[in-house]
Amino acid sequence: MSDAVFETVRSCAVEVLQVAPEEVTMEADFTDHLGATSLTLVELVMAIEEACSVDLPDDGVESVRTVRDACELVRARI
Amino acid sequence: MRGDRRVVVTGLGSVTAAGAGRDALWADLLAPPSPGHRPVDGWDATPWMDRAAIRHTDRCTQLAVAAAELAVSDAGGAKTLTASGRPEHAGVVLGTALAGVTTMERQSLVREARGDKRVSPFVVPMIMPNAAAAAVSQRFNWQGPCETLTTACSSGTHAIAAAARLIAYGICDTVLTGGTEAAAYGTVLAGFRNMRALSGTGRTRPFDSGRDGFTVAEGAAALVLEAEDTAQARGARILAEVLGAASTADAYDVTMPLPDGSGAARCMDLALRDAALAPSDVAQINAHGTGTLQGDLAESRAVQRIFGGDGPPVTSAKGATGHVFGASGALEAVAVVLSMTHRLIPPVQGLTDPDPELAPGLDLVRGKPRPWTPGPVLSSSFGFGGHNGCLVLGPAGA
């Protein structure tokens, strides 16, 4: 478990979704809890890709619902 | 204006380099600007929009939302305006010439440098010309017609005309109208410079013998139009009336006006007919007056064709404000209403030596503001493509 990945995903979510850092927990659902829309989720994934210097697969991105999903997707690519 | 209902102005809003609100615009009209273009430096949309919305809108939409908020607030607030419970009778008609072109340019650079996958998924809704009108309708939950009119630098004037007709024809009770532009950037500036339209001296000097083009400005201007009957029923403060409007095309050239001014003159004539007024009834002309060599000459000939050698006082706001392209007609309509309110005609800033080549008989207001008894005002706008737009605005209760 790398906290660095979570911290990066959290900072991207704070910036893109304009939410407070404490709202971004591992269990938080991007749509239900953090107010993401289909377009802001795409924007968020782009920000995470940039911040982590990874290229996330489109099919994996489509299955991301929670912060934990996003972190695991990133970890699988680094 | 043709139609069954009189159309009145009950709210004004503007955001320009001079600041937000009608007082900032009025002060700006009365003083010569510093040389150079007039972007809205240090623009901060956070008083009007949340940060998520700001991230996903072009600056032209942000300026429009701010101007619309100011105008609606000036008219008594959104709740008051929709107190009749008929949001489907409230509409939005905005004009813009270049819309989200700055976002498009920035995203093109992102794509060039970092590939397709880094282009914002919001780029299309950010650049589309109707984005500003859509944002305003969402903000107020107004569900009537929501449209965008684009006729280059006459967009704002044509938008106000279209909005007024929605009311005159009974489709809407209330319409937020105006124009917005935020294109003082990059490729657009280079294009205007290379076509020799921009002032090399950094001063817009309408009708002056030394004029050398215009300076580019950013901004948005909004007016709340209401049916006179519903405005009076809610006890609204009425600022002015839209008496008439017209639209014509030169059908001549994409950038050059018809040199004899006949296309613009026909538009002026039709607008006065729509208002059921004679040229001698007009108490002020708010000219397009961009400070370009050919444009000002053609406009002077158009005025001479309609008003002869003994026309009303003529002013142009662009010497003060610079050229806000698709917002300019709206900004100038706001300026006209302020002129009525203050009973003063602002001078043509930058005009010291009227061009002797202008058609004779132009009573140009220069040097200082001229005290004035408000009467009908003809406000003209002309755009690339040969679009001509004229509005006739009258003082409240005339």
Side-chain angles (χ1 to χ4, degrees), chain A residues 15-16 18 39-40 42-43 46 49-50 55-56 58, chain B residues 51-52 55-56 114 116-122 125:
Chain A
E15 170 67 17
V16 173
Q18 296 290 311
L39 292 188
T40 52
V42 174
E43 201 180 17
M46 287 168 58
E49 287 182 322
E50 286 276 304
D55 195 12
L56 301 176
D58 286 348
Chain B
R51 290 184 187 278
R55 280 178 62 89
H56 301 138
R114 290 148 65 192
D116 286 356
K117 283 195 74 178
R118 290 294 171 263
V119 172
S120 168
F122 286 91

Side-chain angles (χ1 to χ4, degrees), chain A residues 1-49:
Chain A
M1 266 305 181
S2 162
D3 280 335
V5 170
F6 171 69
E7 290 304 327
T8 304
V9 169
R10 173 148 76 177
S11 74
C12 290
V14 166
E15 170 67 17
V16 173
L17 304 177
Q18 296 290 311
V19 292
E22 56 271 23
E23 293 180 76
V24 188
T25 63
M26 276 293 193
E27 287 67 41
D29 183 294
F30 286 117
T31 304
D32 293 345
H33 301 135
L34 302 178
T37 64
S38 58
L39 292 188
T40 52
L41 259 183
V42 174
E43 201 180 17
L44 176 64
V45 169
M46 287 168 58
I48 293 169
E49 287 182 322

